[in-house]
Amino acid sequence: MERKRVSASNIRSVGYDEKTMTLEVEFSNGQVYQYVKVYPEVYRRFMAAPNPTSFFDDRIAEELTGATALKGRRFSVADRTLGQHRQRQLA
């Protein structure tokens, strides 16, 4: 998936596949996570946000129930530290 660079403190790049509704986020530490069932409007708002980190924290990490690392490791809802985000379908 092709990702676009973003200007954010802890997020390096973001990609989105509209067919599969998959959001991919690369963090500054090199970790890459995928979030499924993310509506296109959420991705558009994320990319247009004046502060992508705040949008991610408030609308994606806060509202999702799990994230899948591209290496295949599954993260559960634990805390909001980098790499332990939550995923669920966003309306």
Side-chain angles (χ1 to χ4, degrees):
M1 174 182 311
E2 185 178 332
R3 293 188 301 268
K4 296 179 182 179
R5 280 251 199 242
V6 294
S7 180
S9 58
N10 67 336
I11 300 171
R12 184 177 298 159
S13 63
V14 177
Y16 185 72
D17 183 331
E18 200 162 334
K19 287 182 181 179
T20 62
M21 294 176 60
T22 302
L23 176 72
E24 194 170 278
V25 181
E26 178 187 16
F27 294 93
S28 299
N29 65 4
Q31 293 178 316
V32 179
Y33 295 90
Q34 288 187 336
Y35 300 85
V36 295
K37 297 183 182 174
V38 177
Y39 288 106
E41 182 61 24
V42 174
Y43 169 69
R44 284 191 283 277
R45 284 192 246 152
F46 185 20
M47 296 306 287
N51 186 334
T53 299
S54 292
F55 185 90
F56 178 83
D57 289 343
D58 296 340
R59 291 285 295 142
I60 298 171
E62 185 68 26
E63 297 186 19
L64 299 176
T65 57
T68 302
L70 287 183
K71 295 177 184 174
R73 183 174 170 201
R74 183 89 181 159
F75 290 93
S76 61
V77 247
D79 58 35
R80 291 186 53 208
T81 60
L82 190 63
Q84 301 210 344
H85 306 291
R86 296 177 281 177
Q87 148 188 336
R88 83 173 160 85
Q89 188 167 343
L90 294 176

